[in-house]
Amino acid sequence: MATTTTEAALYRLMTWLTPSFPVGAFSYSHGLEWAVEAGDIRDLDSLTGWLADLLAQGSGRNDAILLAEAWRAASAGDWDRLAEACALGLALSPSQERHLETVMQGRSFASAIAASWPCAAIDRLRERADTAIAYPVAVGAAAAGHGLPLDSTLAAYLHGFIANLVSAGVRLVPLGQTDGQRALVALEDAVARAAREAIVGDLDDLGAAMFRADIGSMKHETQYTRLFRS
């Protein structure tokens, strides 16, 4: 598999993992909406702390490991391994809404890539998984299919993950746009660390210990007033 040039790789990652890419990420808060209502998140410090924990010991960490596994499987043309990574990603969803979040974004991402940026890896993933595709697995498969480097892909994915939740926090707490930028600055090292750990990790490293976030995603299902789908 040919490696995409640095300029082309950057262009594709910026396109795929920005808010304008049609996956509907803006409509999901990942349980953040309940955390704000419950008082767990109430200012800049509590928002950045919550998101740093997601990267270090929560869903962000698991997503990065799954993305790396999908990238390696697709790079090797091991479609059974890719399908298994997808199934595992879905099984790790701790609530109905988090399952919906990853499936809807994964399905939309794979469809958009197949229509606009086609590659064999996404075709094989869609054949094996049908419409139930975990979002990080779809991103990993597409990146491998286009010869994009794993380290850059992980950094871009995790930045997109955090940037979307910071945007949700800015609206929910609420915080100003400047505080939103301060949050992204504060989380830069956490994003880089999660990406590095995923590169050297494997599926045996999967696991999370951020139970409050998982509970939040469950509580959100019955939250009376909601702006977000999760």
Side-chain angles (χ1 to χ4, degrees), residues 21 34 41 45 70 134 141 146 171 177-178 187 192 197 202 212:
F21 204 70
W34 177 85
I41 297 174
D45 288 343
H146 283 268
R171 286 171 278 169
Q177 295 296 327
T178 300
L187 291 162
E197 290 176 357
D202 56 31
R212 188 72 172 169

Side-chain angles (χ1 to χ4, degrees), residues 78-200:
D78 191 339
W79 311 124
D80 287 339
R81 181 181 173 188
L82 180 61
E84 290 169 2
C86 187
L88 182 57
L90 299 178
L92 287 173
S93 302
S95 68
Q96 180 179 348
E97 287 191 352
R98 289 270 282 276
H99 185 273
L100 173 71
E101 182 178 322
T102 195
V103 167
M104 293 300 291
Q105 291 187 80
R107 178 190 306 169
S108 298
F109 182 87
S111 295
I113 291 293
S116 304
W117 306 80
C119 63
I122 284 293
D123 291 341
R124 297 296 181 272
L125 178 60
R126 296 177 83 202
E127 288 170 5
R128 297 297 185 93
D130 195 18
T131 58
I133 301 174
Y135 183 39
V137 172
V139 174
H146 283 268
L148 308 188
L150 178 57
D151 56 351
S152 299
T153 302
L154 282 165
Y157 176 87
L158 290 171
H159 174 268
F161 172 76
I162 287 300
N164 184 65
L165 295 183
V166 167
S167 177
V170 166
R171 286 171 278 169
L172 287 166
V173 173
L175 297 171
Q177 295 296 327
T178 300
D179 273 345
Q181 291 304 305
R182 290 188 179 113
L184 290 173
V185 171
L187 291 162
E188 182 178 356
D189 288 344
V191 166
R193 186 162 50 251
R196 290 194 301 268
E197 290 176 357
I199 289 172
V200 299

Side-chain angles (χ1 to χ4, degrees), residues 10-21:
L10 180 61
Y11 185 88
R12 293 177 199 192
L13 289 171
M14 290 175 65
T15 301
W16 298 352
L17 296 167
T18 54
S20 62
F21 204 70

